[in-house]
Amino acid sequence: MTRLYIPEAIPAHGILDAPADQAHHVAHVLRLSAGDALTVFDGRGHEYAARIERVSKSGVTLRLGEPSAVDRESPLAVALAQGISSGERMDYTVQKAVELGVQSIQPLAMERSVVRLNVERGAKRVQHWQAVAIAACEQCGRNRVPEVLPIAAYTRWLAVPPADALRLTLSPQASLTLRDVQRPAANVVLLVGPEGGLAPREQQDAKAAGFTAVRLGPRILRTETAAVAALAAMQALWGDF
């Protein structure tokens, strides 16, 4: 069943003119037509059975059923702090992290980040990553859209550590594995470096800020693999896998 995210308030009367971007997606990308069924979700926990009433040059009209509060969220609340990687690698990380249940994504500008973005380009990349997150929710069935936060400098972000959270980072040299870590009682913050990982000073600063380093086996993983593997392992150990 095709799923469509509607960011605007969904009217109670059951008839909705889809926003321009979503109407274009329905008519020209998915090539759906009048009578086709789909599911609409609002990103805040509700989904609606819907049917296309009309497709025209002026837009797409949907008829919606009653809202259903369908919860597909993991009981494990993970915030991913990800060092910015290049191109498709970052897109892949965002997409798969959303599929694996992450609740928010904080892109970090770090010492070994290959990509350097000014304020304007950085804001556009965040918009792009948010669109990737939305598309992942449409695909995987989540009805809550994780937020991709504005890019932050690593040292500035680390200076305000998240409260009441298990803080983990990845290091091939770590002595602990995830199995050695006690099941978290609250949220988890997972810090993953960009290409090349965390620089030595960044590792020291993370440790000083209360982050525990863990390893994912004896092999060195790419940045886009590391985040996904860690999230999958945490879901298997503590979440809903």
Side-chain angles (χ1 to χ4, degrees):
M1 177 67 70
T2 298
R3 286 169 46 84
L4 186 68
Y5 170 60
I6 300 293
E8 302 175 0
I10 295 177
H13 56 69
I15 296 294
L16 172 69
D17 290 326
D21 289 346
Q22 283 76 7
H24 174 82
H25 186 69
V26 167
H28 301 290
V29 179
L30 301 176
R31 298 186 180 277
L32 300 179
S33 57
D36 286 341
L38 66 160
T39 298
V40 168
F41 67 103
D42 61 9
R44 295 176 292 277
H46 294 90
E47 66 180 30
Y48 304 73
R51 193 168 297 276
I52 299 174
E53 285 276 296
R54 179 178 60 87
V55 177
S56 67
K57 292 182 179 179
S58 61
V60 173
T61 300
L62 305 173
R63 180 175 293 277
L64 307 179
E66 292 297 318
S68 299
V70 180
D71 184 13
R72 299 188 180 97
E73 297 302 296
S74 171
L76 181 66
V78 182
L80 172 63
Q82 173 68 49
I84 298 172
S85 55
S86 57
E88 293 182 357
R89 291 180 178 178
M90 191 69 178
D91 289 3
Y92 180 89
T93 299
V94 171
Q95 180 189 68
K96 301 309 176 187
V98 171
E99 291 178 20
L100 288 165
V102 76
Q103 289 198 350
S104 65
I105 299 171
Q106 172 64 74
L108 295 176
M110 304 184 75
E111 184 175 327
R112 291 176 176 172
S113 292
V114 175
V115 179
R116 303 291 176 180
L117 301 169
N118 59 29
V119 173
E120 181 179 357
R121 290 182 61 211
K124 289 182 178 179
R125 293 310 294 171
V126 170
Q127 289 180 349
H128 170 75
W129 295 326
Q130 188 68 69
V132 171
I134 289 169
C137 286
E138 290 178 333
Q139 181 273 324
C140 75
R142 292 184 68 177
N143 288 322
R144 295 189 181 274
V145 177
E147 182 180 9
V148 180
L149 298 164
I151 295 170
Y154 174 70
T155 52
R156 186 172 298 176
W157 171 80
L158 201 62
V160 188
D164 299 325
L166 172 63
R167 305 166 196 173
L168 298 175
T169 188
L170 304 180
S171 172
Q173 290 79 39
S175 59
L176 301 177
T177 69
L178 283 171
R179 289 194 185 92
D180 300 318
V181 177
Q182 186 176 358
R183 176 184 290 271
N187 300 344
V188 179
V189 177
L190 175 64
L191 170 62
V192 181
E195 297 96 334
L198 276 69
R201 180 57 184 269
E202 291 173 332
Q203 294 180 35
Q204 295 170 10
D205 290 344
K207 182 177 180 181
F211 280 81
T212 298
V214 295
R215 70 178 188 275
L216 298 175
R219 295 163 295 282
I220 296 176
L221 305 180
R222 292 178 179 270
T223 178
E224 68 272 26
T225 309
V228 173
L231 289 167
M234 285 192 289
Q235 290 289 11
L237 287 170
W238 309 320
D240 55 6
F241 279 15

